[in-house]
Amino acid sequence: MESVLRALIIYLVLMLLMRVAGKRTLANVTTFDLVLLLVISQATQQSLLGDDFSLTTGIVVIATLVAVDRLADYLGFRFPSFSTITNSRPAILVDNGRPIAHRLRRHHVNEAEILQSARQSHGLERLDQIKYAVLETSGGISVIPRG
């Protein structure tokens, strides 16, 4: 039972930390981010298993984490208000060619990243060619060109 409680606590802590850390796609992960992820995974493993490295404990912990994740997905689907707690919302970063500065700062996105996405998806070169740029929940930037 202790393994299940450890898994639940670690799941909630990691979900909270990832939510606070913000959106970032794998394409934007730096070498340091990768190293940090490996360190976090090692610390998480020690927290989950404690002194019991048995196969049974490992299986119980893995099953608990998967079950809690599936439950969170189901609750988010069934109750949209729950989903707003566990998942981020899309954020409009550019509105009719004008960057929204406070949202750019809040999400740590700069104009160069928006323009890169605009070039890749639509071949656009300037912000004034963008009707909307949206930071999606996945961390990607969607660009809607002007008419």
Side-chain angles (χ1 to χ4, degrees):
M1 186 63 177
E2 180 185 347
S3 298
V4 171
L5 290 175
R6 284 175 179 261
L8 287 172
I9 291 168
I10 291 296
Y11 182 89
L12 292 173
V13 167
L14 287 175
M15 182 176 62
L16 176 68
L17 287 174
M18 294 301 133
R19 183 86 162 88
V20 168
K23 306 170 194 173
R24 187 170 273 203
T25 63
L26 286 177
N28 294 333
V29 173
T30 65
T31 303
F32 182 77
D33 293 332
L34 179 61
V35 170
L36 184 61
L37 184 62
L38 293 173
V39 170
I40 289 170
S41 69
Q42 181 64 29
T44 301
Q45 183 234 346
Q46 291 172 351
S47 299
L48 286 170
L49 298 177
D51 293 330
D52 186 358
F53 295 105
S54 69
L55 182 62
T56 306
T57 300
I59 291 170
V60 167
V61 165
I62 291 168
T64 301
L65 290 172
V66 170
V68 170
D69 191 51
R70 295 302 300 148
L71 178 64
D73 285 346
Y74 173 75
L75 290 174
F77 170 74
R78 185 80 168 84
F79 305 103
S81 59
F82 183 81
S83 182
T84 60
I85 295 169
T86 60
N87 298 316
S88 59
R89 294 179 181 215
I92 296 174
L93 302 175
V94 174
D95 185 7
N96 287 312
R98 284 185 238 112
I100 304 173
H102 71 276
R103 289 189 187 154
L104 293 175
R105 281 191 306 274
R106 179 172 181 233
H107 295 289
H108 305 284
V109 176
N110 59 41
E111 291 181 20
E113 292 172 301
I114 295 169
L115 287 172
Q116 178 184 7
S117 183
R119 284 190 303 272
Q120 289 175 338
S121 60
H122 298 286
L124 304 178
E125 299 172 342
R126 300 180 319 273
L127 284 176
D128 64 355
Q129 295 173 312
I130 299 173
K131 181 173 183 176
Y132 294 110
V134 180
L135 180 62
E136 301 293 351
T137 58
S138 64
I141 299 173
S142 296
V143 174
I144 302 168
R146 286 189 177 216

